[in-house]
Amino acid sequence: MSSNRPNFIFILADDLGYADLGCFGARDAANRPADVSPNLDRMAAQGARFTRSYANSAVCSPTRFALITGRWQYRLRGAAEEPLARAHGDKVLGLPPEHPTLPSLLGAAGFSTALVGKWHLGYPPHFGPRKSGYQSFYGFHAGGNDYFAHTDPRGDPDFWADETPIEQRGYLTDLLSCSAADFIERQDGSKPFFLSLHYSAPHWPWLTRDDEAESAQTRSNGPHLDGGSIATYQRMIHHMDEGIGWVLDALERRGLADNTLVVFTSDNGGERFSNNWPFVGQKMDLLEGGIRVPLIARWPARIGPGTDSHCPNLTMDWAATMLAAAGVSPDPNYPLDGVDLAPLFGDAAWQRPGDLCWRMKHRGQRALIRGRWKYLRVDDIDFLFDLEADERERANLVHRESARMQELRSAWEQWDATLPPIPEEARAHKLFTHREMPHASA
């Protein structure tokens, strides 16, 4: 019966660093413990904290392709863009409506489905949330959104209720949180639900709830790349955390908390104000700082409190996990690449089968993780790291462990051969032209 099937809430932050939450070691500008995320810290204490969770990509939209399909994002043309550019009317760069997705499969099985927040998987009229399984949509299509004007990075209005453009005054993070909480309050228990809550926070422009005047100045002067501070950035995280508290409170009021799996993570590693400690690298890098992300899962009916998992996993694994928990089969014509992580809920020693792999056109990056070992290539230079002994990726063991290096490089090449090549015309965006990726010593 539907009442016995779990509900799902997947909360995705944007550009959040590995150590930006209190439960992952957040520090303020004076290097003191930062009290930025009390609700997420509480959620971790009530459930599981995953210390070796990885985003499917070091940049935004490719991770979202993987999350919604449960498959390697490289199978779809749009995910070759780093990130997906604004292309209204484009018939190619987006999530094909005919491709099965986590919300479409759950919706067909009787779930209520909703996306609140960021889409960034292609633009109308050819792509959109409600063409890919979400029954309702409240949010924006682009990669970023001004927190007060609700415009895209080009300054065009981008705030929607389903397919209708809307104007609504308020701080974007708060509006998304309230909409998500309202969605939960409307559930009457007759059918399970799947809610995607995809925040813009803490993506630029770096604006807190009190910075509406700064928003107006930003819009008159162009992109907000010269703004922000650690204090502003951490306050943005705190606003998001407050909203997540509203969502968790709504679950309690409706008596739905016990049988609802709530997952929180980030789409990629942090950017300039983030704390990625102890890792090096950031967004756009396949170093740990660009792909290792905080992840918390709470499901009182299945996950014991205070659980820590150190098993490597990928964003796309959560599609497989939720479908399995719901008793919903994937489309046989689109087999999942992700792995059901449910064994981790009761067995901390369980290890995810298969390698974790990445490739990016930007700087010709590639990476593969197998247990404690990581193979990395950047600018045609190969690296091998023992992440248990050297999580900062400083000691390149490519010569000392030459046989292992060859093994992992061959494994990456075999994996890569199973996927479509990256098109030559794919756009690889470099965020900071002055910054070089920090290489490990040879």
Side-chain angles (χ1 to χ4, degrees):
M1 296 178 60
S2 62
S3 60
N4 294 325
R5 290 187 289 175
N7 308 300
F8 305 113
I9 302 177
F10 198 98
I11 306 174
L12 194 63
D14 200 333
D15 292 358
L16 186 74
Y18 180 81
D20 278 337
L21 304 181
C23 54
F24 280 83
R27 314 290 289 184
D28 65 15
N31 202 34
R32 300 168 300 205
D35 184 23
V36 294
S37 54
N39 290 296
L40 285 166
D41 297 347
R42 173 168 55 93
M43 183 174 141
Q46 295 169 345
R49 188 179 68 114
F50 294 78
T51 64
R52 290 199 66 190
S53 288
Y54 290 90
N56 263 75
S57 175
V59 68
C60 173
S61 45
T63 293
R64 295 164 194 270
F65 277 102
L67 170 61
I68 198 170
T69 64
R71 309 174 85 222
W72 295 114
Q73 65 270 27
Y74 315 104
R75 299 190 184 281
L76 293 168
R77 171 62 182 86
E81 303 297 309
E82 302 167 0
L84 192 69
R86 181 179 185 270
H88 290 280
D90 194 309
K91 298 181 180 180
V92 175
L93 300 183
L95 176 60
E98 67 272 13
H99 195 298
T101 64
L102 176 58
S104 73
L105 292 167
L106 291 175
F111 279 68
S112 296
T113 63
L115 170 61
V116 173
K118 178 173 173 176
W119 168 244
H120 205 200
L121 292 175
Y123 291 87
H126 301 292
F127 309 104
R130 298 220 310 153
K131 293 181 181 293
S132 289
Y134 288 110
Q135 296 156 9
S136 65
F137 169 54
Y138 174 87
F140 56 100
H141 294 114
N145 197 276
D146 185 272
Y147 288 86
F148 293 94
H150 310 146
T151 52
D152 69 16
R154 293 177 53 167
D156 295 330
D158 186 18
F159 203 28
W160 304 80
D162 296 337
E163 290 75 47
T164 302
I166 58 174
E167 294 183 11
Q168 189 171 2
R169 185 177 178 86
Y171 183 64
L172 179 62
T173 301
D174 292 343
L175 293 176
L176 299 181
S177 298
C178 288
S179 178
D182 288 345
F183 173 84
I184 294 168
E185 295 283 7
R186 293 195 301 271
Q187 304 309 305
D188 61 9
S190 62
K191 59 195 309 189
F193 66 83
F194 169 62
L195 169 65
S196 295
L197 173 53
H198 294 182
Y199 284 103
S200 178
H203 190 287
W204 68 269
W206 294 287
L207 301 167
T208 74
R209 196 179 284 148
D210 303 317
D211 291 335
E212 189 166 6
E214 174 75 5
S215 167
Q217 182 178 358
T218 295
R219 298 195 301 278
S220 64
N221 294 336
H224 191 58
L225 298 178
D226 59 349
S229 66
I230 292 177
T232 294
Y233 176 82
Q234 292 192 330
R235 190 66 182 163
M236 294 171 71
I237 295 171
H238 191 270
H239 294 333
M240 176 178 65
D241 182 83
E242 284 183 295
I244 292 170
W246 304 340
V247 170
L248 297 178
D249 288 346
L251 284 176
E252 294 288 348
R253 283 194 297 273
R254 299 297 296 164
L256 300 170
D258 189 61
N259 199 30
T260 299
L261 170 59
V262 185
V263 179
F264 173 90
T265 190
S266 179
D267 60 351
N268 46 249
E271 221 213 272
R272 65 184 70 182
F273 296 116
S274 302
N275 182 358
N276 293 328
W277 182 261
F279 312 120
V280 294
Q282 60 182 40
K283 180 179 180 178
M284 293 295 293
D285 299 340
L286 293 185
L287 289 156
E288 292 292 285
I291 53 176
R292 202 187 296 201
V293 289
L295 190 142
I296 300 166
R298 192 190 77 168
W299 188 5
R302 292 284 306 278
I303 301 175
T307 301
D308 265 1
S309 172
H310 310 295
C311 174
N313 63 85
L314 279 167
T315 315
M316 68 180 180
D317 293 335
W318 289 100
T321 304
M322 291 179 176
L323 288 173
V328 176
S329 298
D331 189 314
N333 296 315
Y334 298 83
L336 301 182
D337 297 308
V339 174
D340 179 8
L341 299 176
L344 283 176
F345 301 164
D347 180 5
W350 181 81
Q351 292 297 305
R352 178 193 186 277
D355 297 326
L356 279 57
C357 302
W358 297 261
R359 69 182 191 189
M360 293 184 69
K361 186 171 184 179
H362 174 59
R363 302 191 70 177
Q365 295 181 82
R366 61 170 70 170
L368 179 146
I369 289 176
R370 180 179 293 176
R372 66 190 293 167
W373 296 98
K374 179 176 179 179
Y375 161 60
L376 175 70
R377 175 179 284 187
V378 185
D379 293 334
D380 296 322
I381 301 173
D382 285 337
F383 301 88
L384 179 69
F385 301 113
D386 178 350
L387 294 177
E388 287 190 11
D390 175 31
E391 55 192 1
R392 285 183 63 76
E393 298 172 283
R394 300 287 81 187
N396 186 6
L397 303 177
V398 64
H399 300 302
R400 182 180 297 187
E401 295 276 352
S402 58
R404 191 182 305 275
M405 173 67 199
Q406 293 295 335
E407 175 188 355
L408 297 187
R409 181 166 57 194
S410 295
W412 186 92
E413 291 169 349
Q414 292 169 22
W415 166 81
D416 181 60
T418 68
L419 298 167
I422 298 175
E424 284 299 320
E425 69 273 17
R427 173 177 173 267
H429 176 60
K430 188 169 184 178
L431 289 179
F432 307 108
T433 56
H434 67 275
R435 178 179 63 84
E436 292 300 318
M437 178 178 291
H439 292 315
S441 302

